[in-house]
Amino acid sequence: MNDYEIEHLERLRKNLSECTVLLKKDGSFPLEKPCRIAAYGSGVRHTAKGGTGSGEVNSRMFVNVEQGLTDAGFEITSTEWLDTYDRLAERAKKHHLMNLKSDARRNHTLAVVEGMGRTVNEPEYYIPIHAEADAAIYVLRRISGEGSDRSEEDIRLSDTEVRDILSINAMYPKFMLVINAGGYVDLSPVSKVGNILILSQLGVETGHVLADLLLGRSAPSGHLTASWAAIDQMNQNTEFGMRDDTRYKEGIYVGYRYYDAMGVKALFPFGYGLSYTDFEISDPSFEQHGEEIHVHCTVKNTGNFKGKETVQLYVSSPLSKVNQPYQQLAAFAKTEELKPQQQQNLTLTFMMRDLSVYDEENESCMLFQGDYLLRLGNSSLNTQLIGAYHIENDTPVQKTLRSFEKCDFEDLIIPDIEREIPDTVIMIDTDQIANRPLHPFDTRIDPQLADLNDSELAMTNIGSFGGGISIIGAAGHQVAGAAGETSSHAVHKGFPVIVMADGPAGLRLSRFYFEDCKGNVHSIGPVFPETISELLPKGVVKTVNHFKKKPGRKDTVLEQHATALPIGTAIAQSFNLKFAEECGDIAGHEMELFNIDLWLAPALNIQRDPRCGRNFEYFSEDPLVSGFFAAAITKGVQSHAGKGATLKHYAANNQETNRYNNNSMVSERAMREIYLRGFEIAIRTCAPAAVMTSYNLIDGIHASEHQGLLLNILRRQFGYTGIVMTDWVTAGFLFSRHAKYASPDAAKVAAASNDLFMPGSKKELKEILKGLKKGTVSRSDLLINATRIKRVYNELHKGESV
């Protein structure tokens, strides 16, 4: 292994336990020393390090649970069970592939389309459980990915899993149920188990981390960033997975906002997480500092084991003319590792404007008059009312422009819960809270670019095409396996070639490649990854691989091994922004090593529904958590001169079903307060180099073409001056002629200040040139976009703020 690989893995491993969430404990863990252990479940050998699709990273190695236990000195006594399960799993996979091909024939599609993101359901089986051991674990595995949503069957435990978990729980005095999943699983049938740990999917070191936790070499200190409820408790006042139009009828009541308002106690609530020890939060106080509220408290480790605690601050806004959630997260802070009886003072800080409400009547974001109750605790259901601050008059904090059409439904309204009367109230000086105007639109034009002809200018607004396989996100040709790059047609005018790598769980690149005599790079190995090639006709795979360029005797084979980071949900569960920044720093360092300019990460869409197949990439059901973790990762990346991060997917990208043609129907208030607020926080906090628009439509308009979303909100309200690009759109493959909505038009995309249509093709070039003739887009639009790309690139390389 290279020195950088060893260093990056060491930096990750010492922090990864913070990403794990202990849901239940009975005192039988941690274990005193390595021992005989009976390890059951699909996740022991088939441990998932992350999800599929853009979240996959081609790392050199991966430590599964079996190897992690063995490396730590455990003797695994259940190998007979594991061997038998392997044979059953292989048969289940073959049956799964047959079903996909059958579905493709029935639906007149390709098996690769039907199978994208779909995973093998856990089979039903009976394998005797009789291994003798001092302790036991059952590793429950779930994996999901880009292109397909999760089924209810995937979220529930199978009958076999329930039977085996309960049997093992009764058989072994020391038993831990381990969840190796990127998202929610309904654990209600096994709630009697005394020890339950969410290991999550932690990248390369996943297996070693579990061994460390079992032995007490580290302690779990993560907290949930999404509510884990029984399926029967989920919000029924909504739509999900609709083919053409999906109505977000729940409005602002997403996740814990719904459960709290309805008085429903989730199985494990938002913000929840235990440790091997216990903590006490005391001595709260608070005061105003300009636009901020500062809350102070003391945290003490009252148990007998080392650990860290996360303190969370929730605010209940006053009852007003618009419906309000019972409470919403306003701030959080995490202690250092505290020894038994050690304590630490913490300060939690938030900006009052981040609790503003969109007022349609005044077209402004408002802080309404009344008491704002402060609740301090360690989960959304375990808080103490510590006081309130009072705003005397309705206070506008941001001018807006109406940007979305009215929906054909009314948002869910839940009757307000009467607020308590606090003992301590401070008066807010609203003169210190600015009412921010709209930003002017940046219309600068680089004179060097002004004399480009129409074709050259159009090429600056689309990705460089002609190399790579854009369908699987590898359209670059300067770096092997890169996702794409900008055009080189205007380099003589100083226009940059920007090379991009996919994310968000690390840099997604080819591990092996070679350079030919002309300096061009070529990936070595199969053209298609296994998850795609096994769904294609064998003749197609064989033919494509046959004609792929192979290294000659004089060609040098080179390597580029990226580090697989924890999934986004796991990083956020740490509630440790410094660790998130360190993950970004690791990615930024590898961008330097592999000549990558833009990383297509982080992803911060809201975990609106646990069935979304890409929730593992995202941070939370809460926009504040999403915004601050995206900002921290971006800060780490952009601490490296010339390297930029890309916030994605902007916006309301919350399902994979028909993701290229699905229309998200969301009210203006819900868009602003739930689905856009995280982007606003991240942009304000860290000035990302780029933002990627989502595939889906909003109001029947593709997000990449939506002038309200891009011009009114992103550019003028948020004041964003960086690069905007589309997600990877390959129209001939992704868009059906029979779809309700057409594919995005590159001319309309450019006119909406979306600077880059990626990965680029002749189709987009023709559309822009046609748009110039029709007046759909102007040369001025194209020049402003090209100027912005050039300026951002130059500012990054100078180490300046975008």
Side-chain angles (χ1 to χ4, degrees):
M1 293 179 68
N2 296 298
D3 289 344
Y4 78 87
E5 294 176 88
I6 296 170
E7 178 202 343
H8 291 173
L9 292 180
E10 288 176 349
R11 290 169 63 185
L12 287 171
R13 185 170 174 179
K14 68 181 182 182
N15 291 296
L16 288 174
S17 63
E18 296 193 45
C19 304
T20 66
V21 183
L22 187 62
L23 297 179
K24 293 191 69 178
K25 63 178 180 177
D26 65 9
S28 56
F29 289 88
L31 303 171
E32 292 183 3
K33 61 183 179 180
C35 59
R36 295 182 308 156
I37 192 166
Y40 302 99
S42 59
V44 175
R45 284 184 177 167
H46 304 275
T47 314
K49 75 175 188 291
T52 65
S54 65
E56 292 183 273
V57 175
N58 300 315
S59 56
R60 180 193 295 268
M61 55 167 283
F62 167 61
V63 180
N64 67 7
V65 167
E66 184 177 35
Q67 181 184 340
L69 294 174
T70 302
D71 290 349
F74 285 96
E75 177 190 349
I76 299 175
T77 61
S78 55
T79 53
E80 181 182 350
W81 190 98
L82 296 172
D83 292 341
T84 305
Y85 177 84
D86 283 349
R87 293 190 289 271
L88 292 170
E90 185 60 31
R91 287 203 295 268
K93 180 179 178 181
K94 290 179 180 178
H95 184 68
H96 170 74
L97 294 175
M98 289 174 58
N99 285 340
L100 288 178
K101 293 173 182 178
S102 175
D103 290 347
R105 287 191 296 270
R106 184 176 61 254
N107 297 329
H108 304 288
T109 60
L110 299 174
V112 68
V113 175
E114 290 288 335
M116 188 174 183
R118 284 173 61 179
T119 55
V120 184
N121 288 326
E122 188 65 18
E124 300 289 356
Y125 53 84
Y126 175 74
I127 308 174
I129 294 171
H130 51 63
E132 294 185 1
D134 304 306
I137 60 171
Y138 187 100
V139 184
L140 180 80
R141 174 187 183 268
R142 291 291 187 272
I143 189 167
S144 61
E146 183 176 7
S148 184
D149 288 316
R150 298 177 66 194
S151 65
E152 186 173 306
E153 183 180 5
D154 187 61
I155 291 173
R156 293 187 187 275
L157 302 183
S158 70
D159 292 342
T160 296
E161 288 171 329
V162 173
R163 181 199 66 218
D164 286 357
I165 290 168
L166 294 179
S167 296
I168 297 166
N169 185 57
M171 185 180 301
Y172 299 91
K174 294 183 178 182
F175 169 60
M176 179 175 284
L177 172 59
V178 179
I179 312 301
N180 173 221
Y184 155 78
V185 181
D186 185 353
L187 297 175
S188 51
V190 294
S191 58
K192 65 169 65 175
V193 173
N195 300 283
I196 304 178
L197 174 76
I198 299 176
L199 176 64
S200 193
Q201 296 167 346
L202 304 176
V204 173
E205 292 282 11
T206 301
H208 283 151
V209 174
L210 179 59
D212 290 344
L213 290 166
L214 293 176
L215 293 171
R217 296 170 181 170
S218 59
S221 64
H223 288 248
L224 292 176
T225 59
S227 307
W228 280 43
I231 286 180
D232 297 339
Q233 295 178 308
M234 285 172 51
N235 189 350
Q236 302 301 313
N237 298 285
T238 186
E239 292 181 354
F240 178 83
M242 312 302 287
R243 176 155 186 83
D244 293 321
D245 300 291
T246 302
R247 292 166 175 81
Y248 288 43
K249 295 180 180 180
E250 72 279 7
I252 61 170
Y253 292 103
V254 176
Y256 72 90
R257 287 168 168 80
Y258 169 78
Y259 295 115
D260 290 349
M262 293 294 292
V264 175
K265 186 176 181 181
L267 199 61
F268 301 104
F270 175 87
Y272 176 84
L274 302 176
S275 178
Y276 286 150
T277 188
D278 298 296
F279 299 93
E280 177 183 85
I281 303 170
S282 61
D283 303 324
S285 63
F286 57 96
E287 72 272 344
Q288 178 185 7
H289 286 265
E291 294 195 1
E292 297 179 339
I293 298 292
H294 291 196
V295 176
H296 313 282
C297 66
T298 300
V299 181
K300 183 178 181 179
N301 182 345
T302 60
N304 299 313
F305 201 84
K306 64 185 179 182
K308 297 183 178 184
E309 177 63 304
T310 295
V311 180
Q312 302 156 41
L313 178 70
Y314 297 83
V315 175
S316 296
S317 298
L319 306 182
S320 63
K321 66 179 183 180
V322 297
N323 205 231
Q324 297 277 20
Y326 171 69
Q327 63 180 3
Q328 53 188 317
L329 184 69
F332 57 86
K334 191 166 189 176
T335 67
E336 299 171 353
E337 185 172 271
L338 300 179
K339 298 177 182 178
Q341 306 309 307
Q342 188 178 4
Q343 65 184 35
Q344 181 182 350
N345 297 325
L346 291 180
T347 297
L348 292 78
T349 302
F350 69 94
M351 297 186 71
M352 287 178 275
R353 67 174 56 252
D354 286 339
L355 300 175
S356 63
V357 176
Y358 175 69
D359 183 15
E360 183 176 346
E361 181 181 337
N362 294 308
E363 288 195 354
S364 291
C365 296
M366 303 286 294
L367 292 173
F368 288 115
Q369 178 272 338
D371 288 343
Y372 289 73
L373 307 186
L374 302 173
R375 306 179 188 277
L376 197 66
N378 61 6
S379 80
S380 59
L381 281 188
N382 186 29
T383 61
Q384 171 192 357
L385 178 62
I386 64 170
Y389 62 90
H390 182 84
I391 291 180
E392 187 64 27
N393 300 300
D394 291 351
T395 303
V397 297
Q398 174 71 65
K399 180 61 180 172
T400 68
L401 294 172
R402 185 166 181 82
S403 300
F404 305 101
E405 296 296 323
K406 187 171 178 59
C407 297
D408 63 0
F409 60 89
E410 296 295 329
D411 280 356
L412 172 66
I413 294 178
I414 300 176
D416 288 313
I417 299 174
E418 194 64 35
R419 307 294 196 249
E420 307 98 305
I421 299 175
D423 294 330
T424 305
V425 180
I426 64 171
M427 299 297 294
I428 294 299
D429 178 5
T430 54
D431 289 340
Q432 298 188 51
I433 305 176
N435 182 14
R436 295 178 179 171
L438 295 170
H439 296 264
F441 182 62
D442 186 357
T443 59
R444 286 176 286 180
I445 292 177
D446 188 315
Q448 261 195 308
L449 302 175
D451 61 351
L452 291 173
N453 63 41
D454 287 353
S455 182
E456 290 173 327
L457 183 56
M459 292 290 282
T460 66
N461 279 234
I462 60 178
S464 177
F465 54 88
I469 301 164
S470 56
I471 287 175
I472 58 171
H477 49 268
Q478 297 209 32
V479 175
E485 56 197 53
T486 54
S487 172
S488 61
H489 283 72
V491 291
H492 60 292
K493 297 292 185 180
F495 188 80
V497 175
I498 299 175
V499 181
M500 309 169 200
D502 211 350
L507 274 62
R508 192 176 180 209
L509 300 170
S510 300
R511 287 179 58 195
F512 302 101
Y513 68 99
F514 70 96
E515 289 187 8
D516 61 25
C517 58
K518 297 180 180 179
N520 297 318
V521 298
H522 306 273
S523 298
I524 295 175
V527 171
F528 302 106
E530 182 183 357
T531 53
I532 290 180
S533 63
E534 63 190 5
L535 294 172
L536 290 170
K538 291 182 180 179
V540 172
V541 175
K542 184 177 181 179
T543 300
V544 171
N545 287 333
H546 175 75
F547 285 103
K548 180 183 177 183
K549 190 174 179 63
K550 298 174 178 62
R553 292 181 179 179
K554 296 182 179 180
D555 294 321
T556 302
V557 175
L558 303 169
E559 301 180 16
Q560 48 185 14
H561 299 285
T563 301
L565 301 171
I567 60 172
T569 301
I571 293 173
Q573 285 173 176
S574 75
F575 276 87
N576 186 337
L577 293 174
K578 290 183 179 178
F579 172 62
E581 186 176 336
E582 189 163 10
C583 289
D585 179 58
I586 287 171
H589 182 211
E590 294 183 0
M591 291 168 72
E592 291 179 337
L593 295 174
F594 305 137
N595 298 312
I596 298 297
D597 301 300
L598 269 184
W599 186 36
L600 305 180
L604 66 153
N605 294 101
I606 294 297
Q607 295 175 352
R608 172 182 175 249
D609 190 293
R611 291 169 289 184
C612 176
R614 292 183 82 174
N615 273 353
F616 70 95
E617 292 188 27
Y618 309 146
F619 299 115
S620 177
E621 67 188 22
D622 182 81
L624 181 126
V625 172
S626 301
F628 279 113
F629 273 91
I633 290 174
T634 299
K635 184 178 179 182
V637 171
Q638 296 185 177
S639 65
H640 298 264
K643 308 305 170 187
T646 307
L647 302 185
K648 66 181 187 182
H649 312 85
Y650 186 79
N653 182 77
N654 304 106
Q655 70 176 49
E656 292 299 287
T657 302
N658 193 28
R659 61 181 181 152
Y660 311 108
N661 292 287
N662 191 269
N663 179 33
S664 297
M665 302 176 69
V666 197
S667 70
E668 183 122 10
R669 182 186 177 196
M671 278 294 294
R672 291 177 177 276
E673 294 182 26
I674 303 295
Y675 301 100
L676 298 180
R677 183 154 286 170
F679 285 93
E680 179 181 14
I681 290 170
I683 288 166
R684 180 187 73 209
T685 305
C686 69
V691 169
M692 179 192 290
T693 54
S694 51
Y695 284 128
N696 58 279
L697 301 92
I698 302 168
D699 298 337
I701 304 170
H702 279 282
S704 57
E705 301 174 342
H706 203 298
Q707 297 203 5
L709 186 69
L710 299 177
L711 288 168
N712 291 356
I713 296 178
L714 185 63
R715 299 294 192 193
R716 299 210 56 201
Q717 183 179 329
F718 297 170
Y720 183 63
T721 59
I723 297 169
V724 177
M725 70 178 76
T726 69
D727 203 337
W728 266 227
V729 178
T730 310
F733 179 74
L734 304 178
F735 295 90
S736 168
R737 294 180 181 178
H738 305 291
K740 179 176 179 179
Y741 300 104
S743 62
D745 183 289
K748 293 179 180 178
V749 168
S753 86
N754 198 325
D755 308 303
L756 276 171
F757 199 113
M758 296 299 296
S761 73
K762 290 182 180 179
K763 176 180 180 293
E764 286 81 58
L765 176 60
K766 291 177 181 178
E767 286 176 348
I768 291 178
L769 294 176
K770 183 178 179 181
L772 284 170
K773 292 179 180 179
K774 292 176 59 179
T776 309
V777 67
S778 67
R779 275 187 60 88
S780 177
D781 293 329
L782 301 178
L783 282 166
I784 290 169
N785 294 348
T787 298
R788 187 159 38 233
I789 295 167
K790 180 179 177 180
R791 175 183 54 76
V792 169
Y793 178 86
N794 290 337
E795 288 174 353
L796 278 174
H797 281 262
K798 292 176 183 176
E800 298 175 359
S801 172
V802 175

